[in-house]
Amino acid sequence: QKEVEQDPGPLSVPEGAIVSLNCTYSNSAFQYFMWYRQYSRKGPELLMYTYSSGNKEDGRFTAQVDKSSKYISLFIRDSQPSDSATYLCASEKEGGNKLTFGTGTQLKVEL
Amino acid sequence: GAGVSQSPSNKVTEKGKDVELRCDPISGHTALYWYRQSLGQGLEFLIYFQGNSAPDKSGLPSDRFSAERTGGSVSTLTIQRTQQEDSAVYLCASSLAGLGQFFGPGTRLTVL
């Protein structure tokens, strides 16, 4: 079993929809949680970075972490075709030195 | 530019040859990481450098893989005697403590 699990999709939504992307993790030592966006043939781009449980909002993006259920979510409001990409969740231990990634969810926002 | 840069962007090599991949981190970032991204495998950690400390090499898949970081800045990942299973995108990231890892565009390695 992978330490971070993520549904690979693909997920297809109409423009303007609210998108919910989710991951689960198994390692209780994970304290930092990240979401990356990766366009085809590009490197991952850091979208959200959170510590422990709670919500964090940045523009149209909201990251949510529930450590009690080991559940990580990313919500995208008013989705745009430019949001079409692969979204990767990642986790890190306190004092850790590497990220453990999910396999990524492919999102397509259609006109 | 202010981001992480990597070279070459693409590398095609023959099985058995050695390759060197280069990473130039964001200026001032003390930590540097190498990851590998393969189809269906996601991103796998390879190695981590932090300042002058000994690197964490726990993710290197075999002794054919090595990396160094000179002067606390540029890093080179070397793969000796390449095999077809080494074909992947090799990604470098850098960070300043507590602020997340920032990735470069990657080097796409194809071993024929």
Side-chain angles (χ1 to χ4, degrees):
Chain A
Q1 182 193 7
K2 289 181 179 289
E3 286 188 295
V4 179
E5 298 275 4
Q6 188 173 8
D7 186 335
L11 178 63
S12 185
V13 301
E15 184 179 9
I18 297 174
V19 176
S20 173
L21 302 167
N22 307 292
C23 291
T24 58
Y25 65 95
S26 57
N27 192 332
S28 300
F30 288 149
Q31 295 286 348
Y32 297 91
F33 304 92
M34 285 130 267
W35 283 95
Y36 285 85
R37 177 174 64 195
Q38 187 173 26
Y39 293 113
S40 182
R41 293 187 170 261
K42 301 288 186 184
E45 171 193 359
L46 182 61
L47 281 179
M48 302 291 281
Y49 180 78
T50 56
Y51 175 72
S52 196
S53 283
N55 292 358
K56 184 173 183 178
E57 188 174 322
D58 185 0
R60 296 185 295 112
F61 298 90
T62 299
Q64 208 170 69
V65 177
D66 182 346
K67 291 193 71 184
S68 63
S69 58
K70 297 188 177 66
Y71 203 77
I72 312 164
S73 300
L74 178 71
F75 299 96
I76 307 174
R77 290 182 297 282
D78 187 25
S79 55
Q80 303 295 310
S82 58
D83 294 329
S84 298
T86 297
Y87 290 79
L88 300 155
C89 61
S91 303
E92 186 179 19
K93 299 175 188 177
E94 185 84 53
N97 56 16
K98 67 174 183 178
L99 298 179
T100 301
F101 281 87
T103 50
T105 299
Q106 188 179 350
L107 172 67
K108 184 172 184 181
V109 181
E110 298 181 329
L111 291 167
Chain B
V4 177
S5 60
Q6 292 186 245
S7 61
S9 55
N10 285 283
K11 177 72 176 178
V12 180
T13 191
E14 293 179 347
K15 177 182 171 182
K17 301 279 190 184
D18 298 352
V19 295
E20 283 190 354
L21 313 179
R22 178 189 165 105
C23 172
D24 215 323
I26 294 171
S27 177
H29 279 195
T30 54
L32 186 147
Y33 313 77
W34 284 96
Y35 292 83
R36 178 168 70 174
Q37 187 172 32
S38 309
L39 273 175
Q41 296 293 322
L43 275 97
E44 304 170 81
F45 166 78
L46 295 177
I47 189 169
Y48 160 73
F49 296 90
Q50 172 63 51
N52 295 320
S53 302
D56 177 351
K57 305 179 183 180
S58 60
L60 295 178
S62 78
D63 58 8
R64 296 186 295 104
F65 288 72
S66 63
E68 62 177 21
R69 187 179 186 192
T70 53
S73 181
V74 170
S75 177
T76 302
L77 177 69
T78 301
I79 309 173
Q80 294 179 309
R81 304 180 303 281
T82 51
Q83 303 294 311
Q84 288 182 329
E85 61 262 28
D86 299 334
S87 296
V89 177
Y90 289 82
L91 290 157
C92 175
S94 69
S95 74
L96 194 56
L99 296 177
Q101 295 182 26
F102 295 86
F103 283 81
T107 293
R108 184 172 298 271
L109 175 66
T110 303
V111 182
L112 301 176

